Every structure is written in C-alpha cells, then in structure tokens.
C-alpha cells in the first residue's frame, strides 16, 4: 500500500476504531489489509505463539488477496504450488484428474501450506496501527458493550479503557462465534454423519510432490492428502497433510473419545485393505505428528451477516464442510473484501457500518452457494462409492465441474 497516502488519511481526522474478535486467518487478513487510518484491536484467545500443526489449501483467489498485502511470495516460498487434483480408488486406480492453479490457467497459484506458516506471516505483517491482544477470551456482554449496546438494565456502562467506543466489531471468531448471536440470533450448528480424522506425517516424496490426492473406497471412506512444505520437498520428502473422512452416524461419537494409541489402531484397521502405490498407509497413520478427530459440521447459510456495528466474516459467517478446500480461502477473501470497503469508505468520510453492509451484499450470496456446494459434493462423492470404475470416473468429473461453477457463482446445467 502507498504509505504516504495512508498516513495522510490518518492525519486527516480521528482514527476509526475496529475491534476484530478472533485472530485466525480471516481476522488477521483484515487487520493486515486495513490502512493506517484505522486503529485495529485484534482479540485472540490463543497465545501469540500457539501452534496448530496442520495444513490447509489457499485457492488462487485468496492467494491474489494475499499478494495485494505483500504476503503471497512468502506463502509460495514456504508451501507447495498445487499442480492437480487427482481422484483414485483405494488401490490407486486413477478415476479423474484436473489441473489446478497456474496449470489450470489461473493468474495465481493454488498453494498448500502449514496453517502455522500462514498465520505466522499474517502476524508478522501487522502494522503499528494494529494491536494484538493475545491469550484473551471475550464474552457476549463485552462484545455488546464495545458496540455501545445497553446492558440488561437499559444503560450503557462507562468503560475507563474506552473499549465501548469501537466504530465496528468484526466477528472473526469461528464456528462457535459469540458475535454471531448479535447479528443473526442463536443458530444451530449442523452436524453431518461423518468423522474427520486430521493428521500430518513426514513421508518419502509422494507422487510428484505437487498433486492433491483424493482417495475413496467402497465403504464411503475418503482420504484427502497433499504435501504442504517446500523445505521437506527440497530434502526429497513430503510433509503430508491428510484428512480421513469416515461415515459415522451422528449419534455415535465414540471415536472422538479414543486415546491417541487406540485412534491409530482404529484408523490402521479401517484402511488395512488399501493398497496405494507410493503410500504406506500404516506408516502414514502411525507416524503422524499430530492427530485430531472432529465431526463434519457446518451451518445453514445465514440470511444476514451484519447488523448495526456488528459484521461477520470467515467461519463465524459461513462454517462449511472442508470438502472443497475452501474454508480458509473464503476467510482470506472475506478479510480482504471487508478491508477494501472500509478503506474506500474512510476516504469518503463514511461510517464503517455502511462499508460493512456493502461487504455483506457482495460476499454473502457467493459464499452461501459454496456452503451448499460443499454439501452437495460430499453427498455426490458418497453416492458414487457403489459405482463401477467407468461410471464413478464420469460422476466424479461431473461433480468437480458442478463445484467449479458453484464457486464461480454460476448455475450448473440441469
């Protein structure tokens, strides 16, 4: 960004104060992209140095947003530029493949990277107008006070710290958002009949070291696996991020209570009949540095993302199945898009609330379609498990094509 210009804007009047609840990928993208005419406080319950260990995919549109704030080059240098998505069965027979990123003609790559690497770059890029309040949990009443809402007695308490004077409160606080209740009221998280096992394992170089694999078996189990580390690749290895999706009734959460050793035994048993060239499945599971189980979950698309001084982004606004590898990417695009509206509005002397409304108008329909498209793709991939190789290949190709159209905001042919 043009520093002299932003400095001039800051000097032209009092800074607008923005509270960002949540220092994850979306909230930190917003904080990086807001110009110096804003005073930004980011409240994050995790300590600044907390690490998660897993990987994620950053789609080309999100890489383009990171490029505008000067962070894309470092992302590409530390991660892996994805060449293709390849669908195979549990014996390694290829069912479908499609190019991705630069190989698909995009102007920017698709990048697979460690979440910690991306979050670290976002933390390192924060300007002096951003204050990070780490290891800080905020509650519903506090968030309401920041926006100047009255308490249960009908009065707005005075806050010596001045925290009640925020011009905008951004809910970037994830699937269990406290800010969402102020915007949309209580909403029920929707749990799916699937357990997701996440792991990350150092292995010998997998395939070409650039391809995102999606493996499926006749029982509806699916493995998503891709390399995330340029350093490992340079050493002739692959640091593989993986998610194993296991159909499990919503009423059965017993797998979530397994000890680490029992979980590894359980997963090894589930894939004992898999025979994948270049991938030792028992080694993948037993050698995982981190292992975590969660139930597949999302939220019906909201009919509102902003209300008064509150606005949502990322998983607070649109938690989605990870089926399309879009969650982090859409949070990045949200953060950039909201910052762009706020920066432009500040130039016009506009209230941030109006900018937030424009952001919602542009982004909510787009991301709502992606939430539903992820559900559809999950269901179609499950249904295809009973098909023969030829029929399954055709079904996967159609599913992928329909999904690309949904992400692009277009209707699939009927």
């Amino acid at each position: 960004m043009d520093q002299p210009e932003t400095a001039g804007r800051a000097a032209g009047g009092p800074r607008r104060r923005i509270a960002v609840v949540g220092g994850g990928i979306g909230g930190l993208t917003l904080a990086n992209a807001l110009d110096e005419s804003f005073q930004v406080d980011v409240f994050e319950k995790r300590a600044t140095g907390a690490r998660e260990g897993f990987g994620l995919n950053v789609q080309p549109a999100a890489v383009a947003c990171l490029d505008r704030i000067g962070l894309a080059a470092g992302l590409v240098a530390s991660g892996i530029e994805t060449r293709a998505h390849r669908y195979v069965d549990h014996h390694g027979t290829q069912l479908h493949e499609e190019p991705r990123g630069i190989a698909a003609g995009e102007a920017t790559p698709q990048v697979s990277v460690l979440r910690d690497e991306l979050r670290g770059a976002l933390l390192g890029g924060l300007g002096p107008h951003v204050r990070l309040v780490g290891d800080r949990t905020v509650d519903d009443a506090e968030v309401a006070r920041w926006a100047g809402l009255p308490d249960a007695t009908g009065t707005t308490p005075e806050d010596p710290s001045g925290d009640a004077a925020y011009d905008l409160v951004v809910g970037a606080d994830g699937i269990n958002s406290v800010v969402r209740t102020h915007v949309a009221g209580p909403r029920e998280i929707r749990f799916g009949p699937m357990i997701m096992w996440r792991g990350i394992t150092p292995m010998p170089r997998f395939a070409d070291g650039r391809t995102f694999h999606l493996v499926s078996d006749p029982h509806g189990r699916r493995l998503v696996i891709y390399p995330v580390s340029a350093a490992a690749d340079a050493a002739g290895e692959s640091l593989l991020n993986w998610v194993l999706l296991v159909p499990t009734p919503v009423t059965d959460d017993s797998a979530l209570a397994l000890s680490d050793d029992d979980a590894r035994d359980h997963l090894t048993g589930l894939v004992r009949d898999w025979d994948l060239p270049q991938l030792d499945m028992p080694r993948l599971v037993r050698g995982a540095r981190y292992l975590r189980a969660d139930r597949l979950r999302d939220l019906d698309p909201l009919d509102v993302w902003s209300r008064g001084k509150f606005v949502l982004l990322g998983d607070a606004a649109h938690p989605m199945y990870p089926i399309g590898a879009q969650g982090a990417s859409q949070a990045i695009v949200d953060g950039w898009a909201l910052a762009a509206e706020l920066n432009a509005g500040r130039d016009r002397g506009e209230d941030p609330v109006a900018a937030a409304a424009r952001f919602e108008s542009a982004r909510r329909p787009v991301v709502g379609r992606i939430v539903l498209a992820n559900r559809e793709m999950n269901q179609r991939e499950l249904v295809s498990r009973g098909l023969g190789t030829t029929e399954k290949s055709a079904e996967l190709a159609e599913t992928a094509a329909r999904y690309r159209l949904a992400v692009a905001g277009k209707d699939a042919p009927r």
Side-chain angles (χ1 to χ4, degrees):
M1 288 183 289
D2 186 331
Q3 294 305 313
E5 181 183 345
T6 57
R9 282 201 290 264
R15 284 182 170 180
R16 297 288 195 173
R17 300 188 69 217
I18 308 293
V20 181
V21 185
I25 303 302
L28 291 176
T29 300
L30 170 66
N32 271 275
L34 283 168
D35 70 38
E36 294 178 9
S37 62
F38 293 93
Q39 178 183 335
V40 186
D41 290 344
V42 180
F43 296 87
E44 171 53 48
K45 65 183 178 182
R46 291 172 294 180
T48 303
R51 301 183 69 82
E52 183 173 296
F54 298 105
L56 51 79
N57 258 264
V58 186
Q59 301 293 337
V63 174
C65 292
L66 293 174
D67 188 48
R68 296 184 184 110
I69 54 177
L71 297 179
L75 179 75
V76 172
S78 63
I80 298 290
E81 291 192 39
T82 303
R83 181 194 66 81
H85 282 195
R86 179 180 297 161
Y87 294 79
V88 301
D89 69 14
H90 63 305
H91 295 305
T93 302
Q94 184 168 316
L95 303 170
H96 175 63
E97 181 171 309
E98 58 183 35
R100 305 294 291 191
I102 298 297
E106 299 280 358
T108 49
Q110 175 178 324
V111 181
S112 301
V113 68
L114 287 167
R115 180 181 291 271
D116 290 334
E117 295 278 356
L118 175 56
R119 186 165 182 264
L122 289 165
L123 286 168
L126 296 174
H129 60 299
V130 179
R131 179 176 66 132
L132 182 65
V133 188
D135 198 17
R136 173 78 154 77
T137 301
V138 300
D139 61 22
D140 181 80
E142 188 174 22
V143 167
R145 188 181 70 247
W146 289 346
L149 296 187
D151 63 17
T153 68
T155 61
T156 303
E158 292 297 328
D159 187 338
S161 71
D163 280 349
Y166 286 111
D167 297 286
L168 192 69
V169 178
V170 181
D173 49 338
I175 191 168
N176 297 311
S177 170
V178 299
V179 182
R180 190 168 59 232
T181 58
H182 293 285
V183 174
R187 299 294 174 113
E188 291 291 328
I189 300 299
R190 183 179 180 275
F191 292 91
M194 188 94 55
I195 297 292
M196 299 183 300
W197 290 92
R198 299 178 184 270
I200 189 160
T201 311
M203 298 282 282
R205 179 174 285 151
F206 177 49
D208 64 356
R210 296 285 184 277
T211 299
F212 182 115
H213 281 67
L214 302 100
V215 188
S216 58
D217 75 5
H219 304 289
R221 299 167 191 143
R222 288 168 291 161
L223 175 71
V224 177
I225 183 167
Y226 51 92
V228 294
S229 170
D233 185 71
E237 302 174 344
S238 289
L239 183 59
L240 294 175
N241 190 77
W242 54 272
V243 180
L244 181 64
L245 297 130
V246 181
T248 310
V250 174
T251 54
D252 181 6
D253 280 342
S254 57
L256 302 180
L258 291 174
S259 69
D260 189 76
D261 288 341
D262 287 345
R264 292 171 197 267
D265 289 342
H266 170 66
L267 294 180
T268 302
L270 291 179
V271 297
R272 63 181 176 274
D273 61 341
W274 287 27
D275 181 21
L276 295 169
Q278 302 182 56
L279 188 61
D280 181 337
M281 287 299 296
R283 179 175 176 179
L284 181 77
V285 172
R286 296 196 180 280
R289 291 179 179 173
Y290 305 97
L291 191 65
R292 189 178 77 197
D294 296 295
R295 181 163 289 283
L296 199 68
R297 53 187 177 161
D298 69 1
L299 186 68
D300 288 332
L302 297 175
D303 53 3
V304 60
W305 284 10
S306 66
R307 188 183 304 278
K309 289 188 176 183
F310 300 106
V311 64
L312 305 173
L313 61 76
D315 280 353
H318 48 74
M320 61 181 69
Y321 288 176
I323 304 301
Q326 288 282 345
S329 295
Q330 294 305 318
I332 289 168
V333 178
D334 282 352
W336 168 258
L338 179 54
E341 292 292 356
L342 287 166
N343 290 338
R346 180 68 174 97
D347 286 344
R348 298 190 292 267
E350 182 180 71
D351 190 316
V353 171
R358 285 198 309 275
F359 156 76
E360 176 191 359
S361 179
R363 289 289 294 157
R364 184 167 55 83
V366 172
V367 187
R369 291 172 67 103
I370 295 173
V371 170
L372 298 178
N374 284 357
R375 286 185 191 174
E376 180 188 24
M377 185 159 64
N378 178 60
Q379 186 59 36
R380 289 174 70 100
E381 288 180 359
L382 276 173
V383 169
S384 72
R385 66 187 174 182
L387 301 177
T389 301
T390 301
E391 294 82 4
K392 188 171 183 177
S393 295
E395 173 65 19
L396 289 171
E398 182 184 347
T399 298
R402 289 173 64 91
Y403 188 76
R404 287 195 303 273
L405 290 171
V407 172
K410 300 176 182 177
D411 291 322
R414 297 183 180 278

